[in-house]
C-alpha cells in the first residue's frame, strides 16, 4: 500500500483528494494536517466524510509525516509549505505540491508573481511539472512534482499540439478562460460571498494573472518556442469547472478536419483527453467530477484563426485528480487507477 | 400620453418592457398581443404584474392596434412579425422591433443567417439601427427602428471608439462574450432546462452566431471600415447579464491612460455608458436591472493588444431598456425618462 | 422634500434603500454613514450606483446628521446603533430602525435572544412595530419605528387573519420558512461563501431563531391571544426572497373558499398584500424587487389543518421597502409612493 | 457477473445509474433502452460517458433483454413500463422499478393518484417496497422491487423510529420537504426552464402530492398504525438534494438526548443512515453524490413537538443508489458494494 498524507487538508482540493484517495485500492491514508483545525475531526470540515474518515486533523510534524508517508500531497497556500516540503524531499518522501511554489523556473520569476522570496530555490530545477500528457517520463522518476494550475492545465493542453511543430504565430495566442468559484479556494473574502458571486459574471486580473507566466514558461520548455499569451480569467457563478477558449492565428490555411486530426494524433494514447468530433464543443458538466479534459476545435477561416475550446473540472484534472494521476505514475501504478 | 402596444408580449423582453413602461410617466399602455395566450390575463404569464396590469392578452389585430397605438414594440421571434410591422409602418405607427428582422442591410444576408425569406425587403434600407450612442439623430426621425441584439450592443459599444479614426487592425478583432440564460428567451428546449444550464458553462455557435454579421455590418456602416470579427458566445448559469471581452491589435503602442481617454471622450455625453477608471473592470451585477453599459479598458502591451470589457443587462440595455430609450428619442421625450 | 440619512449604509439593506430612495419624488438624500468605509465613494461599495450617487460615506456624527435629516434609516447590526438612535429620537429626528433593537417588548427578552444589554430600555415601549398592515395608525404618529424582521413580516402576515377572532389552536402553529442568502447580510463567515451555499440547502436555528419571539410577541400584542410558534428557518441557494409556510389546526372545519374570503376581507384595502385565488400558490420570483407579499391558502381537511403560504422579497417588504412604506406613513405621503 | 440492463435510460436517474454501475465490480452492463434515442450513442445524451460507454440506445425488446439480463432497472415514466416489467418478471428476470407503478398497494389507489389504469394489478401484492432499512429481508427474496420515491425515502426514514412503538400522535405529522430540480426529471415544461427555477423558490401540490399516499401506506404497513401525513413539497433552485423536515407531537415529554438515542438504536446497523449529534443538522451538500441519508433531531419542548431533519441525494439514496443497494441485496452481494 502507498502510505499517503495530506498537508493543509481543510480546503477544497484537500477535500477532493480525500474523496478520490478513499476509492483508490492501493492507498493507505495516514495524516491530514491543518494548523487551524488541528484536533478536530476531519468530518467537522468535510461534512460528507462523516462515518468514512474517523481521524482528526493534526499539526504538521515533519518527523511523524516523514516516518509514516511514502508520498505527501501538499495543499498549502503559496509559500507556506516550501520549507516543509523541502525537508520531506530531503528525507526521500515524494512530494506532490498542489501550490504554485515549484511551477516557475526561477526564484526571480516566483518573486515577481507571488511577492514572496523563494526559500528553496535550489529545488526549482529538480521539480517536475506534473502534466502527464507532456512530461510523463520525467514524472515517473520525480521526487518533487509541481502539480499544474487549473487554468494552466486547460490552456497548455489546448495549445501544445499547435506548438510542436509550430503551426501558429506564437505571439498571437489569447486564452479567454472561465472558472467556477471553487478555484478561489475557501478564502474568507467578501468577493466570494454567495451574494457577490451568484447572478454575477466578471473578469479579473486580465493579462496579469499568475497562470500567465506558468503557461508561457511551460509551453516554452516543451516546445523551445518563445510563446506570448494574453490570458484573461473570469469567475463563473458555479462551483466547479473551467472552460478555456484559445484563439491563435494559423501560419497557413488548413481545414478544420486537419486541425482535428492534429489534436487526435497528439492525444491518441491519452486516457484523460477526449477530442470531440467536428461540430461539437465541450461543456463543463460533461467533465464535472472526472479527470477528463474535453477539447473541441473550430476556426474562423477568414482570418486563419483557430479556436480551441477545452473543459475540465478545476478540482479534479485541474488539481486533485491530476495529483493522483501523478502519484500513480510515480509509484508505477496503472495511470488511471482510482480515477475512472 | 404616448399610446403603446406590445406585440408578442409573453416572453422575457415583453415582460421587462411592461415593467419599465409602467414606471414611465408619459406612457399609456394599450394592447398586449399573444397568439397562444390570447384571452388570458397578462399576470397569468408575468406573475409579478398581478394587481398592476389588469388586462388580458389579445390576438394581434392590425386595425385595433393601429387605431390605438402611437408606437408598438414588437417582440416576435425572427420573421414572425415582418408582415404586421410593415403594415403598421404603412399606417404611420412607429415600430420598434426587438427582433433581428430589420437589423441586417440586405434580404440576402438575412436569408443566409436566419434561413427565412424576408417579406418586406423594401423596408430594410428605411429601418434605423436603434443604437442611440451611434445613430441618435437618425433614430429621432425614424418610423421603423431595428432594436439591436444584446450581444451586438455590448460588442459595438466596445469597438466603436477604436474605429473612428481607426486605431486597430480591423481584422484582428475577437469578441468573447458571455450571456445569462434569459438571452435565449422562453424557448422550450432541453438545452435550457435548469439541470442542463445550472453548474454548467459552455460556448456555442462559435464564429457562426447571428450577431457576428450584425456587429460587422454596423461597425462598417458607422466607420466605413470593413471590420472582420470573430465572435464567440457562451451561456452563463445566471439569469441576466452580458459580459463581453474584445481583443484587438493596436496600430501603434499607446498607454492605457490614452486608451481610457479615447473612450471617455467618445462617450462623454452619453447618459448610459460608464467608463471605469484604470484598474477597474465591469461586473454584470452592477448593471443588472439598469440601462447602463459599463466599460473597462486594459492592454497586454507586449503584443500591442487592447482589451475592452463591457457589461450590460441583456434584457435592459440589450433589449427592452434600449427600446424605451429609442421610444424617448422618437417622441422627443428626455432620453433617460423612465430609465433611471 | 424629506431629508433622509442612512446609518450603516454599506450592507444589502442599505444598498436597497438607496436604490428605492433615488426613485422617490419627495426625498432628498443627505448622509450615508459607515465606520469602515468612511471617506470612500458610495459606489465603491454599491457598484450599481456609480454615476448616480456621487457622495462619500462619512463617519456617524450626531450633530451633522440631526441638523440635516428629518428621518434616518438605521441599518446597524444588533445593539450597535442603540445609543445614536436614542440621541436622534431625543432631538426629534424620526428613526426607522431596520435592526431588531426595538422590536421586542422588554430589555430582558432582548438580552435573552440578542446576548446584549439594552442601553435604552426606556424607549422600548415608545417604539412602534412598523408593520403597516397591523399598526398603521400608530406608525403615522411614531418617532421611533422598529422595522420588522424579514421572516417575521411573512409569518405575521400569514397568521394575523387567523387570530382576530381566533380561528385556530394558538399553540398549533408551525412556520417553516425559507430565505435567500441576502438575509444573512454581508457577514464575512465561511458559511456564506458561494461554495458553501450554492447547491446546498439547510435548516438552521430550528425552534431557536430570534424571529420566533418577535413573531410570538407581535401576534400576542395584536390579538391579545398568547401564541406559541415553532419557527424553522432555512437557507436557500438564491439571493433574495422568502417563502414561508404556516401550518395550524383550525378550531372547526371550514371550506378553503371560506378561508380565502377571511384573508381577502382582512387585507382588502392593503396595497401590498395580494391574496391568490384558490389553487394558486406564491413564488418568490413574482415578488422579487417589489414591496408585495403574496399569500395563498389551502388545507388538509382530514386533520383540519390550514396551510398558508406567503412570499415576499426579504430586502424590500422584508426590510428596505417596508421601511420606506413606514416613512411615507410618518410623513403623510401616499403610502405607495416610490414603491410601485 | 450480474448482467444488467436499464430501461428508459435517457433521464437523470438512468444517467446516475450508469455512472454507479460502471464502478460496481460485479456488474456487466448489457442494454440501454430508449424509444426516442434508439440508435444514438449513449454519450450523445449523457455527455460525461463519452469514451466510457460505447454502446447505443436500443428499442426495448423483451426477448433480447430477457435473454441477456439477470436484472433490469426500469426508469420509465408512470404506467409506461408496467406491461414490459410484468413480462420480464414472468420470465424470472428481476425488476427494480424506479417508477411509482408498484409502490401503492391497490390499483384503485394507483388510479386515484396517477390517473392511469393499472394493467398488472395482480403483481401489486408481490412487489416489495425497496427501502432496505425497513424491508431488507423481503428485498433479498424479491423478484419485483418498487424502488421508493425520493421524498418518500426521506420522509419514511425520518418517521419510522417514531412509529414502532408509536411515540407520537399519528395524525400530527407534517412533512415539509424541499427538493432540487433533478427530481422533476427532464420533462420539457416551461416550469423547469432555467429562468423559471433559478432565483425562485416555491411550494407545489401542497397536501396533494403523489408521495403523500406512498408515505402513509408504507408507514402503515410497517407499523400497523394508521398514519396521516400532511406533505408539502417545494422546488429548490439547485440540482440535487432533498431536505425534509418532519414535525410531530410527542405523546409524552422527553429529552432531545432520548430522542437521539431512539434514532441511533433504530439505525445502529445501517450503513447508509448517519444520525447527527445533538446541535447539528443535515445539509444536502454533505450527502450529494452519496447514498447516505443524514438525520438530525431537535424539538420545541413547549409544545412537545419533535422536529426531524433528513437530507439525502434524490438521485442516489432517493433513486439510483437505493436501486443499486436493492440489487446488491437481491444478488447476495455486500450491501454497500459500489456505493462507498
Amino acid at each position: 500500500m502507498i502510505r499517503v498524507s495530506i498537508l493543509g487538508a481543510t480546503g477544497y482540493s484537500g477535500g477532493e483528494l480525500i474523496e478520490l484517495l478513499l476509492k483508490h485500492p492501493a492507498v493507505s491514508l495516514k495524516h491530514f494536517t491543518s494548523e487551524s483545525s488541528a484536533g478536530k475531526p476531519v468530518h467537522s470540515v468535510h461534512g460528507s466524510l462523516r462515518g468514512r474518515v474517523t481521524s482528526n486533523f493534526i499539526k504538521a510534524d515533519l518527523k511523524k509525516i516523514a516516518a509514516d508517508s511514502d508520498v505527501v500531497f501538499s495543499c498549502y497556500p503559496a509559500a507556506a509549505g516550501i520549507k516543509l516540503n523541502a525537508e520531506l524531499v530531503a528525507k526521500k518522501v515524494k512530494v506532490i505540491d498542489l501550490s504554485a511554489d515549484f511551477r516557475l523556473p526561477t526564484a526571480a520569476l516566483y518573486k515577481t508573481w507571488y511577492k514572496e522570496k523563494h526559500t528553496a530555490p535550489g529545488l526549482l530545477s529538480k521539480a517536475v511539472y506534473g502534466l502527464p500528457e507532456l512530461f510523463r517520463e520525467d514524472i515517473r522518476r520525480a521526487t518533487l512534482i509541481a502539480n499544474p494550475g487549473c487554468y494552466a492545465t486547460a490552456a497548455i493542453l489546448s495549445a501544445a499540439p499547435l506548438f510542436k511543430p509550430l503551426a501558429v504565430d506564437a505571439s498571437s495566442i489569447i486564452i479567454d478562460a472561465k472558472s467556477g468559484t471553487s478555484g478561489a479556494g475557501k478564502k474568507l473574502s467578501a468577493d466570494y460571498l454567495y451574494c457577490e458571486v451568484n447572478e454575477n459574471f466578471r473578469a479579473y486580473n486580465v493579462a496579469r494573472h499568475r497562470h500567465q507566466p506558468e503557461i508561457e514558461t511551460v509551453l516554452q520548455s516543451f516546445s523551445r518556442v518563445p510563446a506570448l499569451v494574453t490570458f484573461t480569467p473570469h469567475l463563473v457563478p458555479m462551483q466547479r469547472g473551467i472552460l478555456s477558449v484559445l484563439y491563435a492565428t494559423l501560419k497557413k490555411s488548413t481545414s478544420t478536419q486537419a486541425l482535428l486530426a492534429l489534436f487526435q494524433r497528439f492525444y491518441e494514447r491519452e486516457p484523460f483527453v477526449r477530442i470531440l468530433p467536428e461540430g461539437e464543443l465541450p461543456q463543463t458538466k460533461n467533465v464535472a467530477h472526472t479527470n477528463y479534459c474535453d477539447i473541441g476545435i473550430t476556426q474562423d477561416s477568414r482570418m486563419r484563426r483557430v479556436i480551441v475550446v477545452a473543459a475540465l473540472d478545476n478540482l479534479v484534472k485541474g488539481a486533485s485528480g491530476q495529483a493522483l494521476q501523478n502519484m500513480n505514475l510515480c509509484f508505477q501504478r496503472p495511470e488511471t487507477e482510482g480515477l475512472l
Side-chain angles (χ1 to χ4, degrees), chain A:
Chain A
M1 298 294 270
I2 308 168
R3 299 170 306 147
V4 174
S5 294
I6 303 177
L7 312 181
T10 56
Y12 295 128
S13 55
E16 190 75 17
L17 259 174
I18 303 174
E19 290 280 359
L20 290 168
L21 291 164
L22 283 173
K23 291 177 178 131
H24 195 289
V27 157
S28 162
L29 279 166
K30 291 298 173 185
H31 302 299
F32 310 95
T33 82
S34 163
E35 301 312 295
S36 56
S37 296
K40 294 189 197 155
V42 170
H43 75 243
S44 70
V45 170
H46 302 298
S48 66
L49 298 176
R50 184 189 300 272
R52 298 157 66 203
V53 172
T54 52
S55 38
N56 289 358
F57 292 108
I58 61 165
K59 283 195 185 285
D61 172 333
L62 174 64
K63 268 201 197 148
K64 191 189 280 190
I65 292 163
D68 297 346
S69 316
D70 299 311
V71 59
V72 303
F73 294 94
S74 176
C75 304
Y76 285 114
I82 297 179
K83 188 165 163 292
L84 180 58
N85 287 327
E87 291 168 335
L88 287 162
V89 166
K91 289 179 181 293
K92 310 289 180 210
V93 177
K94 287 186 193 278
V95 171
I96 300 174
D97 185 357
L98 283 81
S99 85
D101 291 346
F102 296 97
R103 293 182 198 152
L104 296 180
T106 68
L109 203 56
Y110 184 78
K111 180 87 166 80
T112 301
W113 287 92
Y114 290 88
K115 313 296 172 205
E116 303 270 359
K117 187 168 165 17
H118 202 293
T119 54
L123 282 177
L124 286 171
S125 62
K126 304 220 172 79
V128 172
Y129 192 74
L131 190 66
E133 289 77 6
L134 301 196
F135 306 108
R136 182 169 283 113
E137 293 315 312
D138 296 333
I139 293 166
R140 287 194 211 275
R141 292 182 300 263
T143 301
L144 172 57
I145 292 173
N147 210 60
C150 49
Y151 283 126
T153 299
I156 296 166
L157 292 177
S158 301
L162 300 168
F163 267 75
K164 217 173 176 178
L166 189 66
V168 295
D169 170 354
S171 71
S172 71
I173 296 164
I174 292 167
I175 312 249
D176 190 288
K178 302 86 177 174
S179 174
T181 307
S182 60
K186 268 190 191 165
K187 242 173 304 195
L188 214 55
S189 149
D191 283 357
Y192 301 115
L193 288 176
Y194 182 83
C195 290
E196 303 298 312
V197 171
N198 184 48
E199 288 294 295
N200 193 18
F201 188 85
R202 61 182 178 94
Y204 64 100
N205 290 351
V206 176
R208 51 190 56 92
H209 188 277
R210 293 159 164 188
H211 287 191
Q212 188 170 295
E214 182 177 337
I215 298 164
E216 290 178 349
T217 54
V218 173
L219 281 178
Q220 200 156 329
S221 99
F222 162 72
S223 69
R224 304 298 149 194
V225 172
L228 284 180
V229 173
T230 295
F231 177 67
T232 300
H234 300 76
L235 199 65
V236 186
M238 65 182 187
Q239 221 138 318
R240 50 170 84 205
I242 281 180
L243 193 95
S244 157
V245 181
L246 172 148
Y247 302 91
T249 305
L250 291 162
K251 287 172 140 189
K252 46 185 178 189
S253 290
T254 186
S255 67
T256 302
Q257 275 304 337
L259 289 165
L260 274 164
L262 174 70
F263 275 74
Q264 277 153 351
R265 274 195 312 275
F266 194 91
Y267 290 121
E268 70 188 333
R269 294 194 190 159
E270 288 303 331
F272 293 121
V273 178
R274 300 187 292 201
I275 306 299
L276 274 57
E278 188 167 1
E280 294 191 39
L281 290 173
Q283 310 191 21
T284 64
K285 77 177 168 69
N286 290 339
V287 294
H289 298 279
T290 82
N291 200 47
Y292 288 102
C293 179
D294 280 3
I295 295 181
I297 295 118
T298 185
Q299 62 170 329
D300 190 338
S301 53
R302 301 175 301 168
M303 297 81 116
R304 292 204 322 273
R305 188 170 285 141
V306 61
I307 305 164
V308 185
V309 184
L312 53 76
D313 183 327
N314 57 300
L315 290 179
V316 190
K317 183 62 176 168
S320 305
Q322 184 143 271
L324 187 50
Q325 187 180 357
N326 284 321
M327 184 201 81
N328 285 337
L329 287 170
C330 282
F331 289 87
Q332 283 70 54
R333 304 292 315 173
E335 187 168 342
T336 62
E337 193 173 46
L339 287 168
L340 283 184

